[in-house]
Amino acid sequence: FDSVSSPLAFLAGKVPECCPTAKMNLFQSVTSALDNTLASDPTAVIFGEDVAFGGVFRCTVGLRDKYGKDRVFNTPLCEQGIVGFGIGAAVAGATAIAEIQFADYIYPAFDQIVNEAAKYRYRSGNLFDCGNLTIRAPWGCVGHGSLYHSQSPEAFFAHCPGIKVVIPRGPVQCKGLLLSCIADQNPCIFFEPKILYRAAVEQVPTEAYTIPLSQAEVIQEGSDVTLVAWGTQIHVLREVANMAQEKLGVSCELIDLQTILPWDTETVCKSVAKTGRLLISHEAPITGGFAAEISSTVQEECFLNLEAPIARVCGYDTPFPHIFEPFYIPDKWKCFDAVKKLISY
């Protein structure tokens, strides 16, 4: 993953000019967002396995000591219990921030998320809701996580109306999008790319700020190919865009989707109408992955604009491997090869 260790300044986007900034990596930006929330919202509580001492990725370090054990506390190793408790706390009026220690272990809580949290407002006719619930989880491959610590389960939740699913690409986006999720009046799942936790630092505002949900960001404008991804894969496609320009003279437009559900169809379709070509890449298996939804929508909306079939470069339809991870992940060489095929079609 040489791409992940590259400087991220060009990917940071517009840093909000709301206050002083400090150098933060991604896990520190999570801590900062949670700190801002606990300070400004007396109803906010943070809970999950090991969060009291800081969590396995150190995202909640110091928060229990600063705000007390009644507001930042450990739970049993029971994901359905964590989310069930979060639903109850949110319904009772608290701002509930639940942590699932790894996204791979969110599946025991699937029923609570999909059948309870997502449908709570709908089934009560808007009399009751658990919109103050935010579920955080480390997500994606990390270089050595294998089948139980490297999964990307966003597509499972994208099939479920009533929740929002968000994935940031760096520290600036992480803090702004997380605070937007916490403030949003719908239950949100916030997946944090674990390989990026310590990858690089950016200047992140120390005070609270938000980045709108359901708005994709055009990171780099181009005219020949549209590249769409989210989270870690954005950094891979950034290298692909540079390689395509240097080696092929091909201009790539790079889009960070940011919100998986509800996603920004307008920005993506507008770009494809301009370039006529689309490549979507994610780490999750290709069959039923969210790239399929994007591909279907773009085909319906931009059929007459397409100059080549839509390309998907994704993980394989196997459990996530350990020693074969370098062959499994959609790296820059696979994506670059797809760009060449799109151009020569």
Side-chain angles (χ1 to χ4, degrees):
F1 258 105
D2 54 330
S3 57
V4 175
S5 61
S6 303
L8 304 182
F10 135 90
L11 292 173
K14 295 181 179 179
V15 178
E17 298 179 0
C18 63
C19 58
T21 63
K23 287 185 177 180
M24 300 183 198
N25 57 27
L26 195 137
F27 91 81
Q28 290 168 330
S29 72
V30 171
T31 310
S32 180
L34 298 177
D35 190 6
N36 292 155
T37 300
L38 291 166
S40 63
D41 183 354
T43 74
V45 290
I46 300 171
F47 49 93
E49 300 162 11
D50 302 321
V51 300
F53 77 81
V56 294
F57 292 105
R58 319 308 292 155
C59 291
T60 52
V61 167
L63 297 181
R64 181 188 62 174
D65 294 339
K66 187 173 182 179
Y67 295 101
K69 62 181 181 180
D70 292 335
R71 300 188 66 195
V72 182
F73 50 89
N74 289 339
T75 65
L77 275 67
C78 177
E79 285 77 16
Q80 58 266 55
I82 293 170
V83 175
F85 175 83
I87 293 170
V91 170
T95 297
I97 305 169
E99 179 184 295
I100 303 297
Q101 198 165 85
F102 285 89
D104 311 62
Y105 296 111
I106 204 169
Y107 303 120
F110 196 79
D111 179 60
Q112 290 289 344
I113 295 169
V114 169
N115 273 335
E116 304 301 333
K119 296 175 174 61
Y120 210 101
R121 186 193 305 276
Y122 183 84
R123 70 188 177 100
S124 71
N126 203 30
L127 290 175
F128 310 101
D129 70 84
C130 58
N132 290 335
L133 171 65
T134 301
I135 302 167
R136 297 178 37 250
W139 163 98
C141 76
V142 70
H144 51 267
S146 193
L147 67 168
Y148 287 133
H149 298 87
S150 292
Q151 295 176 69
S152 302
E154 66 272 16
F156 288 104
F157 299 101
H159 192 63
C160 181
I163 55 177
K164 294 187 177 182
V165 182
V166 180
I167 305 174
R169 71 174 184 269
V172 170
Q173 291 73 32
C174 185
K175 180 172 180 178
L177 291 169
L178 178 54
L179 287 171
S180 291
C181 286
I182 293 170
D184 196 271
Q185 293 304 299
N186 299 279
C188 296
I189 301 176
F190 191 77
F191 287 126
E192 299 160 8
K194 66 176 78 74
I195 199 172
L196 300 182
Y197 272 136
R198 291 168 174 79
V201 297
E202 295 174 355
Q203 289 292 334
V204 180
T206 55
E207 298 300 321
Y209 64 94
T210 58
I211 295 174
L213 302 181
S214 296
Q215 286 189 18
E217 182 180 349
V218 179
I219 298 173
Q220 173 178 308
E221 293 189 358
S223 57
D224 299 323
V225 181
T226 298
L227 308 178
V228 174
W230 47 90
T232 310
Q233 208 61 19
I234 282 291
H235 305 285
V236 175
L237 290 189
R238 186 262 300 178
E239 285 201 41
V240 173
N242 290 342
M243 291 168 61
Q245 186 66 59
E246 294 170 5
K247 299 178 182 295
L248 307 174
V250 170
S251 172
C252 294
E253 183 148 298
L254 178 58
I255 297 177
D256 180 4
L257 203 60
Q258 298 193 125
T259 303
I260 305 301
L261 184 74
W263 67 287
D264 185 354
T265 60
E266 182 179 353
T267 296
V268 174
C269 289
K270 181 180 178 182
S271 175
V272 176
K274 175 177 65 173
T275 65
R277 299 174 181 87
L278 172 62
L279 184 153
I280 314 153
S281 183
H282 58 61
E283 294 176 6
I286 188 167
T287 299
F290 198 68
E293 175 63 28
I294 299 172
S295 177
S296 177
T297 299
V298 170
Q299 188 271 343
E300 292 172 0
E301 298 293 328
C302 307
F303 181 73
L304 295 178
N305 302 103
L306 291 173
E307 301 290 343
I310 297 168
R312 292 180 291 161
V313 182
C314 308
Y316 298 114
D317 291 332
T318 71
F320 203 98
H322 188 194
I323 61 171
F324 295 118
E325 180 178 304
F327 302 100
Y328 182 93
I329 58 172
D331 62 15
K332 62 183 179 182
W333 301 109
K334 293 178 185 176
C335 295
F336 181 62
D337 187 56
V339 169
K340 289 193 290 185
K341 290 178 181 177
L342 283 170
I343 293 297
S344 61
Y345 180 80

